[in-house]
Amino acid sequence: ASLNQEGVRKRTIMSSFSYRKYNWIVFASLGLASFIVWLAYMIISFILFKEIMLSGNGIAYILNSFVFSICSLAVGFLIGTITHNKQAIGGIVNVVALGTSFLCGCFVPFEYMPDYVLKIAHILPTYYYVANNQLIKTMEAFNFESIKPLLINGAVIVISSFIFVAVTNYVSKRKQIIN
């Protein structure tokens, strides 16, 4: 939101940076900040649950959370590009985060959710993150056959991240043309 303030936005538009280069710099900067927060959580997890985090399941949880943090960053970057109002950003983020959490099984296990809700949830990356967590919880052996569903779900999350970044670039370009 701070980068979308009128003075900053006008200077950015007048600069020699293309919208793609500017978006890449902002995304990389936000990615660094997100990585630091993710790393802090991982350090806390290692302090509290050292044995679990050093197991195969723990490493799988770490990788899954890292991939999903990138996707969350892409969604947040898109929301920040869509609107300039800080209060609106907060409201949209709450609706998106809580809405996807309720739809995708963060609060209610999949087995208690109606089939139509799960079908809707399949279009959201949060579903695949939660599905991976459910798979990791029950895994005993880590071979290609057992991690194949994890890789497929992870690929869906990564592809979703690329889609969100592409949409952000499109919205950014359209806003630059309009302004």
Side-chain angles (χ1 to χ4, degrees), residues 40-54:
Y41 277 107
M42 292 305 107
I43 291 170
I44 293 169
S45 297
F46 273 101
I47 291 169
L48 296 175
F49 309 106
K50 185 176 183 178
E51 300 82 31
I52 295 171
M53 297 306 287
L54 292 174

Side-chain angles (χ1 to χ4, degrees), residues 116-130:
Y116 70 91
V117 173
L118 288 175
K119 287 180 182 175
I120 294 169
H122 275 80
I123 64 170
L124 301 167
T126 307
Y127 171 83
Y128 298 95
Y129 170 72
V130 173

Side-chain angles (χ1 to χ4, degrees), residues 4-22:
N4 288 327
Q5 291 175 350
E6 189 174 345
V8 175
R9 189 170 38 83
K10 286 182 178 179
R11 283 191 297 260
T12 304
I13 291 171
M14 292 179 59
S15 73
S16 61
F17 282 156
S18 69
Y19 71 93
R20 285 182 188 214
K21 185 174 183 179
Y22 174 76

Side-chain angles (χ1 to χ4, degrees), residues 25-155:
I25 292 169
V26 173
F27 188 75
S29 301
L30 294 172
L32 179 63
S34 295
F35 177 75
I36 291 169
V37 171
W38 174 83
L39 188 61
Y41 277 107
M42 292 305 107
I43 291 170
I44 293 169
S45 297
F46 273 101
I47 291 169
L48 296 175
F49 309 106
K50 185 176 183 178
E51 300 82 31
I52 295 171
M53 297 306 287
L54 292 174
S55 69
N57 294 56
I59 302 299
Y61 281 127
I62 290 169
L63 293 173
N64 193 38
S65 69
F66 181 74
V67 170
F68 189 68
S69 70
I70 294 170
C71 187
S72 299
L73 170 66
V75 171
F77 189 42
L78 174 61
I79 292 169
T81 303
I82 290 173
T83 184
H84 296 52
N85 185 321
K86 287 183 182 183
Q87 287 76 25
I89 289 173
I92 294 169
V93 166
N94 283 332
V95 168
V96 169
L98 289 174
T100 58
S101 295
F102 277 110
L103 284 174
C104 298
C106 292
F107 300 122
V108 178
F110 289 150
E111 55 267 9
Y112 298 121
M113 296 176 72
D115 287 338
Y116 70 91
V117 173
L118 288 175
K119 287 180 182 175
I120 294 169
H122 275 80
I123 64 170
L124 301 167
T126 307
Y127 171 83
Y128 298 95
Y129 170 72
V130 173
N132 268 357
N133 282 340
Q134 295 296 323
L135 289 169
I136 293 167
K137 181 173 69 173
T138 61
M139 290 182 84
E140 293 178 11
F142 286 88
N143 53 43
F144 182 73
E145 284 303 313
S146 66
I147 67 167
K148 189 175 177 182
L150 296 177
L151 296 175
I152 292 169
N153 289 345

